[in-house]
């Protein structure tokens, strides 16, 4: 049985561990920051690198990919910041954890806030940033209080404020609470919201945050878990960190396991070292007695669903250079971005939702679609109109008003939304579940529609209250 | 705004050119274009490149005079970019053409910058299906009641539905319901159900006017356009949002349900409410003016006009317009006479008056051609001439403090004093002294500008005007005049822009364009032949007046010309 690999969650849930700075310092906290600040100019591979440049190099070496959902390489994101632009750069910690099924950042913020702050301070130091924000979702009321306290403590200990640890480096971090909108997790929507506007995501090009971010200045937006990983990368070295996980997707991830398993919860794993089957059976305690697996949503509710019994073909390079095709069953699928992409889905936010054979997929999709219809910001046409349309069809299907053709109808609507037609990835987020549910479980949707139709017809024949 | 400094974009050095292909046709376009609001150079976009080869890309939210929003997604196109080799040079196919890598995802043409060698495809099946999808999405929650919608006939939804719409809707759900007949401000009514949330109105009032009053509330498909609570949408440019609105959401309280737009005759003209001279289109039907709309002119008003100017047209159709030639036979006895009889009396009088005994109170609301003839007549008769100023509020956008449309024309043609109205005092004194016995008041109220006691001293008060005023009941000879919408002519705006206006409607009753009787009088008194058309008079004026030199009626386009003054 594979074990958890607790890096970010190392102290979390340990007996007596408190979210205050004394406890954090007692467990070796802020060592990464001290190490970063102590880095003097050194010649690396023939080039003289300053302290911050060395930190950036370590993060690039680590191969860390963003943990928010898109999985963009963090070092590359940082490298887009133009330090000669003459405008101040900003760092924003995206703590607007809203993807259904995801509850990993929450653990960090509530139980180990200083780990996040340390990661942020290092990231800011590395990128010459003097002002940073934590955009925390409005529902994390207590989380925001905890962070405010943690910021005050960090300031007291001179980890924040002017002349941090006598290094001459200044940094302020501010907390901004969201007002309860999923779209504020989209980085440019978040930036608009932070600027005090409606969180309409910006068009890209030209508004890539690295070039025109907060107040149209260079901006880095990183997820909570990503920033925490930065701290560990600095402590252990980018090369060491890269040895964890898989070469294309190094490090650890916190998985939020939910749905119809016996022990849902959060687990930190080495990426690619654990299969979906191990996640469900070993970490999640397996399905409930007598239940069979029906499907897995592997990366938050917007990721494409994987059907039980599916087998996926992968090409693997052998040591002799030959390519070998191998087939992998769903439960043997390793949890890393390449494997899930090969299966037609994604790791997303690391939220694994398990559905057993008692799950009503029509109801499940109706639930997902209702969420996305409610959360669409309404800026661009396909997402605004499509998300609500799909939700309305699914509402009919789950309220006895289905039609036989609704399965096709729904799929046709969903096909008109994604593929870069929308301002942001919400278009994909709201249509991928519908597309994948319909592609893999079309029979269930069609049967529901037919049954509704039949009931209405027979009801009408019997003089009942059949409504079209 | 570019209208206030039209020369700015012209003076910047020419940007370097980039060659792109639109549907296989190569086109060279500047690498940057001026930003529609700030005028700063910004990268040229795909839609601008397409425009350069007359390839229309359907769109709703994009407007060439507004910052880009990119929300309607109607302008999605496919594109490809050249593949670069290791030496950063484009790779070539065996036939020498560059290797193009087609982008996996479409891009919005309105916001995507072009790059050298880019290929834009606007007519592929994929692009067509994306347009169809967007149109379907826009229509599912739109009330499909064009027969009772005021926008019908000039509605982008209708127009694109012809090309990309379906004959029948497959939407069987309940539509989203939103507020109807929302009183957005004193001149605008909003139907939120018709709104397609393109945000053109919001961007216009925020970026162009500087009145950040409109916005969107609620989420997703329930998005609703509204004004700031407690602050009605009431600046002097609100009606431009009605023009900008691609659908029937924003309507003008003044014009809505007055006429189907396809019945309106469109006549190019110029607004007469101030010295800016915004270019307009007069919409008229059966001899009635229904609306003014701004007509794009980069040198003057961009695409906009102020509400005050736009709504200042009703006087043209007023019931009490002067329609008949009237002469005062004895004191207080007025008779309607045929135009020719009034004209004979006028000419007889002018022939016999001694030089220096005539004053002409002309108007800077008259056309250059009329003012030219007036000046010629006045000089023959040794008349003292002037036109009174008319001032009011101005703003930083289009509204000018000078409320006469042709002050500069009146000055260039020798009618107005250097400071318009500067001769009025001398005129009044001359009348009071008894030196000036006759006053010719053309389009201005003599009583208002000179005083009743002064006017009473005159032997002969000759008035030509459009509407009754304090002087008209006292005139010895009264000739009905024409509104600008009833005749051809030109004005010179405050920047020296010479602009033509056309005739939209017929004048009421006996009224005829002033240039006709002025020409007759000038010919009669001066003894020389004057061309019998506005164009001919213009050409003669342009020959005689240095400031107009070189311009001909035929050569003066719809957008006018800037005079070298």
């Amino acid at each position: 049985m594979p074990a958890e690999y607790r890096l970010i969650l190392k102290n979390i849930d340990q007996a007596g561990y408190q979210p205050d700075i004394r406890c954090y310092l007692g467990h070796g906290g802020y060592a990464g920051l001290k190490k970063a600040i102590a880095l003097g100019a050194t010649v690396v591979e023939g080039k003289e690198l300053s302290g911050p440049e060395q930190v950036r190099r370590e993060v690039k070496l680590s191969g860390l990919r963003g943990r928010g959902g898109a999985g963009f390489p963090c070092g590359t994101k940082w490298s887009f910041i133009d330090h000669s632009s003459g405008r101040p750069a900003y760092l924003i910690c995206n703590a607007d954890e809203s993807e259904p099924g995801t509850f990993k950042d929450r653990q960090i913020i509530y139980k180990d806030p200083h780990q996040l702050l340390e990661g942020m301070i290092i990231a800011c130091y590395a990128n010459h940033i003097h002002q940073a924000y934590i955009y925390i979702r409005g529902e994390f009321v207590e989380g925001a209080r905890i962070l405010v306290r943690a910021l005050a403590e960090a300031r007291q200990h001179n980890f924040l404020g002017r002349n941090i640890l006598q290094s001459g480096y200044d940094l302020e971090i501010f907390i901004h609470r969201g007002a309860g909108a999923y779209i504020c997790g989209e980085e440019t929507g978040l930036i608009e919201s932070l600027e005090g506007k409606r969180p309409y995501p910006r068009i890209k090009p030209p508004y890539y945050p690295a070039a025109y971010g907060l107040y149209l200045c260079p901006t880095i937006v990183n997820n909570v878990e990503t920033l925490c990983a930065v701290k560990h990368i600095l402590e252990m070295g980018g090369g060491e960190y890269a040895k964890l996980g898989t070469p294309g997707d190094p490090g650890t991830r916190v998985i939020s396991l939910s749905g119809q398993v016996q022990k849902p919860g959060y687990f930190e794993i080495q990426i690619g070292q654990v299969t979906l089957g191990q996640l469900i059976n070993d970490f999640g305690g397996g399905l409930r007695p007598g239940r069979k697996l029906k499907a897995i949503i592997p990366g938050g509710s917007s990721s494409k669903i994987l059907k039980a019994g599916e087998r996926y073909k992968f090409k693997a390079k052998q040591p002799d250079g030959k390519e070998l095709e191998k087939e992998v069953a769903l439960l043997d699928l390793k949890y890393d971005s390449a494997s899930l992409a090969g299966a037609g889905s994604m790791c997303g936010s690391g939220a694994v939702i398990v559905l057993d054979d008692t799950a009503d997929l029509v109801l499940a999709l109706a639930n997902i679609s209702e969420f996305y219809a409610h959360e669409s910001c309404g800026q661009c046409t396909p997402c605004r109109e499509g998300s609500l349309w799909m939700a309305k069809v699914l509402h009919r299907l789950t309220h006895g008003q289905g039609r036989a053709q609704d399965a096709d109808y729904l799929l046709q609507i969903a096909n008109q939304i994604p593929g870069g037609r929308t301002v942001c990835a919400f278009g994909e987020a709201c249509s991928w579940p519908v597309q994948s549910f319909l592609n893999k479980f079309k029979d269930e949707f069609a049967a529901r529609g037919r049954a509704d139709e039949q009931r209405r017809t027979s009801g009408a024949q019997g003089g009942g209250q059949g409504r079209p | 705004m570019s209208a206030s400094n039209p020369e700015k974009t012209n003076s910047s050095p020419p940007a370097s050119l980039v060659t792109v292909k639109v549907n296989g046709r190569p086109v060279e376009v500047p690498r940057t274009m001026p930003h529609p609001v700030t005028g700063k150079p910004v990268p040229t976009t795909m839609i601008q490149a397409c425009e350069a080869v007359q390839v229309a890309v359907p769109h709703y939210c994009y407007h060439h005079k507004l910052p880009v929003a990119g929300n309607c997604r109607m302008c999605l196109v496919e594109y490809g970019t050249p593949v670069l080799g290791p030496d950063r040079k484009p790779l070539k196919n065996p036939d020498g053409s560059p290797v193009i890598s087609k982008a996996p995802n479409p891009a919005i043409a309105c916001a995507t910058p072009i790059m050298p060698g880019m290929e834009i495809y606007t007519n592929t099946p994929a692009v067509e299906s994306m347009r169809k999808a967007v149109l379907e999405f826009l229509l599912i929650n739109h009330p499909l009641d064009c027969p009772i919608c005021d926008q019908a006939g000039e509605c982008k939804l209708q127009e694109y539905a012809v090309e990309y719409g379906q004959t029948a809707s497959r939407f069987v759900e309940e539509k989203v319901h939103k507020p109807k007949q929302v009183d957005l401000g004193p001149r605008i009514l909003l139907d939120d159900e018709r709104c397609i949330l393109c945000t053109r109105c919001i961007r216009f009032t925020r970026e162009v006017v500087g009145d950040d009053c409109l916005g969107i509330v609620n989420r997703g498909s329930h998005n609703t356009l509204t004004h700031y609570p407690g602050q009605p949408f009431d600046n002097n440019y609100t009606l431009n949002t009605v023009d900008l609105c691609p659908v029937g959401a924003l309507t003008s309280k003044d014009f809505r349900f007055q006429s189907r737009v396809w019945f309106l005759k469109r006549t190019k003209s110029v607004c007469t409410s101030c010295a800016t001279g915004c270019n307009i289109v007069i919409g008229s039907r059966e001899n009635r003016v229904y609306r003014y709309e701004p007509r794009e002119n980069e040198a003057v008003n961009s695409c906009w006009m102020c509400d005050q100017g736009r709504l200042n047209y009703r006087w043209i159709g007023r019931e009490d317009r002067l329609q008949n030639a009237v002469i005062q036979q004895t004191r207080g006895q007025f008779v309607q006479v045929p135009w020719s009889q009034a004209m004979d009396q006028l000419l007889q009088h002018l022939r016999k008056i001694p030089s220096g005994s005539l004053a002409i109170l002309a108007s800077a609301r008259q056309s250059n051609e009329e003012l030219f003839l007036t000046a010629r007549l006045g000089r023959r008769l040794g008349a003292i001439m002037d036109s009174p100023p008319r001032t009011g509020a101005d703003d930083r956008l289009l509204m000018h403090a000078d409320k006469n449309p042709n002050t500069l024309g009146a000055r260039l043609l020798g009618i107005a004093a250097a400071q318009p109205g500067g001769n009025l005092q001398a005129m009044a004194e001359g009348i009071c002294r008894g030196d000036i016995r006759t006053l010719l008041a053309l389009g201005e109220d003599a009583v208002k500008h000179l005083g009743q006691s002064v006017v009473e001293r005159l032997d002969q008060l000759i008035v030509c005007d459009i509407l009754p005023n304090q002087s008209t009941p006292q005139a010895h000879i009264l000739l009905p005049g024409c509104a600008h919408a009833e005749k051809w002519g030109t004005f010179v705006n405050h920047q020296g822009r010479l602009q033509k206006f056309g005739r939209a409607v017929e004048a009421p009753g006996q009224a005829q364009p002033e240039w006709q009787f002025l020409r007759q009088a000038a010919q009669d008194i001066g003894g020389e032949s004057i061309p019998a058309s506005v164009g001919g008079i213009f050409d003669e004026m342009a020959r005689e007046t240095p400031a107009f030199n070189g311009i001909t009626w035929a050569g003066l386009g719809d957008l006018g010309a800037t005079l070298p003054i």
Side-chain angles (χ1 to χ4, degrees), chain A residues 60-290:
Chain A
K60 189 133 202 183
L61 273 179
S62 76
L64 172 67
R65 298 173 68 145
R67 304 291 192 237
F72 194 82
C74 181
T76 311
K77 190 185 258 189
W78 287 11
S79 70
F80 293 147
I81 298 293
D82 178 8
H83 295 290
S84 62
S85 71
R87 293 169 295 165
Y90 295 102
L91 178 111
I92 301 169
C93 167
N94 187 345
D96 193 66
E97 185 180 52
S98 314
E99 178 75 10
T102 318
F103 41 88
K104 61 186 180 70
D105 297 342
R106 180 193 184 109
Q107 313 307 326
I108 298 165
I109 293 165
Y110 278 67
K111 297 172 182 168
D112 201 6
H114 282 286
Q115 184 183 190
L116 169 61
L117 295 191
E118 186 181 353
M120 279 185 78
I121 300 165
I122 296 169
C124 289
Y125 176 74
N127 291 289
H128 308 288
I129 288 166
H130 300 287
Q131 197 156 311
Y133 296 86
I134 302 174
Y135 191 102
I136 184 166
R137 71 176 295 192
E139 291 87 338
F140 288 172
V141 180
E142 191 54 32
R145 287 199 194 110
I146 291 167
L147 282 173
V148 167
R149 246 186 338 260
L151 282 177
E153 289 173 339
R155 229 171 260 131
Q156 266 174 11
H157 285 77
N158 193 219
F159 296 130
L160 270 179
R162 297 217 159 262
N163 195 17
I164 291 170
L165 302 176
Q166 282 72 54
S167 64
Y169 170 66
D170 305 334
L171 172 68
E172 262 318 321
I173 296 180
F174 300 96
I175 294 178
H176 183 96
R177 288 185 58 206
Y182 173 84
I183 198 62
C184 290
E186 200 280 343
E187 55 182 6
T188 58
L190 185 158
I191 287 169
E192 287 279 299
S193 172
L194 200 51
E195 288 183 2
K197 304 178 202 151
R198 271 173 81 79
Y200 275 175
R202 295 173 174 174
I203 47 173
K204 293 152 276 204
Y207 298 106
Y208 294 107
Y212 302 104
L214 185 63
Y215 310 120
L216 298 186
C217 294
T219 303
I220 298 169
V221 186
N222 278 148
N223 170 260
V224 172
E225 192 186 342
T226 318
L227 287 165
C228 290
V230 168
K231 166 208 142 88
H232 296 283
I233 288 166
L234 211 80
E235 278 181 10
M236 60 201 286
E240 278 304 303
Y241 186 87
K243 287 180 189 162
L244 301 172
T246 69
D249 197 355
T252 65
R253 274 200 90 125
V254 182
I255 306 294
S256 315
L257 182 66
S258 68
Q260 292 162 310
V261 286
Q262 302 223 48
K263 287 196 302 176
Y266 46 92
F267 310 95
E268 189 170 0
I269 58 161
Q270 270 201 64
I271 296 168
Q273 308 291 317
V274 175
T275 65
L276 282 173
Q278 287 166 332
L279 264 179
I280 294 171
N281 295 318
D282 300 341
F283 293 133
L287 302 171
R288 289 179 195 142

Side-chain angles (χ1 to χ4, degrees), chain B residues 125-139:
Chain B
V127 170
E128 174 121 332
S129 83
M130 287 185 273
R131 289 176 185 167
K132 282 182 173 164
V134 168
L135 192 73
E136 179 179 33
F137 282 137
L138 285 175
L139 287 175

